[in-house]
Amino acid sequence: MHRRQKPSAPEHKRDLAAHGGALSISHNDTRSFFNFSQLVLSAGHLKPPPVLKHSKITYFEVEILDMQSKKQICIVDKVPPSSTLLDVKHKFHKACPQWYPSRVGLQLERNGPYLKDSINIQSLAVSSIITLYFTDLGQQVSWTTFFLTEYTGPLLIYLLFYIRLSTIYDQVESTKNFRHPAVHLACFCHCLHYIRRLLETLFVHKFSGGHTPLKNMIKGCAFYWGFTSWIAYYINHPQYTPPSFGHRQVFFAALSFLMCEAGNHFINVALAHQIYSGLKACFPSPTYNPFTWLFLLVSCPNYTYEVGSWISFTVMTQTLPAGIFAFLMVIQMSLWAQKKHKMYLKRFYPEVRRKAAMIPIIF
């Protein structure tokens, strides 16, 4: 039989020490893992450390120079990138109170166009300093005031001639002579035209620009008010000569006038409520309304109807002042139509390229 030998005391102590050491290390690891687990459970989900964002806002300085002398007027500082040119004009007004924002014209170049108020100041920036040239546009009025003043005058002036004031006509002749139906119908059509314009100015038209020079309103009022006085004087005169073809000429001309007025109104409504496809505006297309079918032939049918109204009015009254006014309106409307047609060609080329501006073939 083999007897198992007992280890010696030193070896036995070393074995116990080694075994005890291993036990103590394993026990410490367990406690550390347990403590770490408890910490994780108590703290919730681990989150990454927040990233610090260093956002620095860049401000612009707008240097405003006089367009004629190139001298510096002022510097508008601390302009945020999101500001518009109108915001710059308001700050410029605070620095120079004698110039209201409406009469301040700013240009990027001396001979360049005036910048719109809605333009973003950041789009003009090449560096942190933006140089603009200032021009005093003079006294300004809003477009609504412009058109209301321009159209209210003819409405009231014509009525003054229609009632035949004693200061204008001889009172004896006014009471003796019988008024032809064309006189009453002309007053109705003339008033209807300007009432429509006033209502459309208030409720239909959308004006892109905010203001226009006061001198433009004075010129417009002189033109419309002067011609209205001249036309109304001859039509309402006691010795007015009726149209050559009598009631038939008056009837058909009045019917044509009313149709042109209706067409003009429906076209203006269609232009004011253009259908937008995404971010790009679409050229107005004809609808079920027959008056809008003129969009198939011309790009500015509102001017076509406007000219048609005054030609019909001339035929209905058969007076020389009305004919001259209609002729001038044809020239003015054709110029406006050509200008708008060029703008439409740039924006809606495929849809407008085969259309005329105002009158097919001619314009």
Side-chain angles (χ1 to χ4, degrees):
M1 293 180 63
H2 296 280
R3 298 179 62 179
R4 189 172 63 182
Q5 296 179 356
K6 293 182 179 180
S8 61
E11 293 178 356
H12 182 65
K13 288 181 181 180
R14 278 199 305 268
D15 292 338
L16 288 178
H19 185 66
L23 289 177
S24 63
I25 292 174
S26 176
H27 183 67
N28 291 337
D29 290 342
T30 304
R31 286 189 61 184
S32 299
F33 179 76
F34 178 78
N35 293 336
F36 178 75
S37 301
Q38 291 294 326
L39 178 64
V40 170
L41 292 176
S42 62
H45 297 288
L46 290 176
K47 296 182 179 180
V51 180
L52 296 177
K53 296 181 179 180
H54 301 281
S55 58
K56 184 179 179 181
I57 301 176
T58 304
Y59 291 98
F60 295 104
E61 289 186 358
V62 180
E63 181 186 24
I64 299 179
L65 307 179
D66 183 78
M67 192 188 70
Q68 301 295 335
S69 62
K70 294 185 179 180
K71 293 182 179 180
Q72 185 186 93
I73 300 177
C74 74
I75 293 180
V76 181
D77 56 353
K78 292 186 178 180
V79 179
S82 59
S83 299
T84 62
L85 201 67
L86 183 61
D87 299 329
V88 175
K89 288 184 178 182
H90 282 292
K91 291 186 177 182
F92 177 60
H93 172 58
K94 290 182 179 179
C96 305
Q98 67 271 28
W99 290 309
Y100 293 93
S102 60
R103 65 185 298 169
V104 174
L106 296 177
Q107 301 162 276
L108 196 60
E109 300 175 356
R110 291 188 67 189
N111 297 324
Y114 292 111
L115 301 173
K116 294 183 178 180
D117 291 344
S118 59
I119 193 170
N120 190 280
I121 200 66
Q122 192 172 12
S123 62
L124 305 175
V126 180
S127 62
S128 60
I129 300 177
I130 304 172
T131 302
L132 299 176
Y133 294 94
F134 161 76
T135 301
D136 184 8
L137 300 177
Q139 187 65 37
Q140 303 285 302
V141 293
S142 65
W143 280 108
T144 303
T145 304
F146 176 89
F147 288 115
L148 290 179
T149 306
E150 192 176 65
Y151 299 151
T152 304
L155 179 64
L156 300 178
I157 289 173
Y158 198 98
L159 291 175
L160 292 177
F161 282 91
Y162 176 73
I163 62 178
R164 291 184 175 178
L165 294 175
S166 58
T167 56
I168 301 175
Y169 303 111
D170 183 73
Q171 200 65 23
V172 178
E173 289 187 357
S174 300
T175 54
K176 284 183 179 180
N177 292 339
F178 171 75
R179 293 197 188 191
H180 192 273
V183 176
H184 302 291
L185 195 57
C187 180
F188 171 77
C189 292
H190 192 276
C191 293
L192 177 66
H193 175 80
Y194 284 101
I195 289 174
R196 176 186 65 80
R197 282 193 164 190
L198 288 170
L199 293 177
E200 287 178 352
T201 300
L202 293 173
F203 304 109
V204 176
H205 291 303
K206 299 176 181 179
F207 304 108
S208 56
H211 298 83
T212 185
L214 178 62
K215 60 182 181 180
N216 289 347
M217 189 180 77
I218 295 175
K219 290 190 293 185
C221 290
F223 177 78
Y224 279 99
W225 294 16
F227 263 103
T228 299
S229 302
W230 192 23
I231 293 171
Y233 176 80
Y234 278 93
I235 295 177
N236 297 285
H237 198 280
Q239 298 180 0
Y240 168 73
T241 304
S244 303
F245 296 96
H247 296 290
R248 183 177 298 179
Q249 177 180 342
V250 174
F251 173 77
F252 284 107
L255 181 62
S256 175
F257 179 89
L258 294 176
M259 291 180 63
C260 289
E261 286 295 301
N264 202 339
H265 172 70
F266 289 120
I267 292 297
N268 287 332
V269 172
L271 291 174
H273 299 85
Q274 291 183 9
I275 302 175
Y276 286 86
S277 175
L279 298 177
K280 185 180 178 181
C282 299
F283 185 78
S285 58
T287 62
Y288 61 88
N289 188 340
F291 290 103
T292 62
W293 294 351
L294 200 56
F295 273 122
L296 296 172
L297 302 176
V298 296
S299 59
C300 303
N302 53 327
Y303 296 149
T304 308
Y305 282 123
E306 183 76 13
V307 168
S309 295
W310 288 114
I311 293 177
S312 301
F313 187 84
T314 301
V315 174
M316 179 178 60
T317 58
Q318 196 173 310
T319 54
L320 179 62
I324 295 176
F325 182 75
F327 175 73
L328 294 177
M329 290 299 289
V330 170
I331 296 176
Q332 182 63 73
M333 294 295 166
S334 64
L335 294 176
W336 287 345
Q338 289 289 342
K339 185 177 179 180
K340 274 196 173 182
H341 188 71
K342 291 180 180 179
M343 182 186 68
Y344 287 151
L345 284 175
K346 293 180 181 178
R347 297 181 62 190
F348 318 109
Y349 176 73
E351 302 160 295
V352 186
R353 63 188 178 92
R354 294 185 178 180
K355 302 179 190 294
M358 189 178 76
I359 300 177
I361 302 175
I362 299 177
F363 296 112

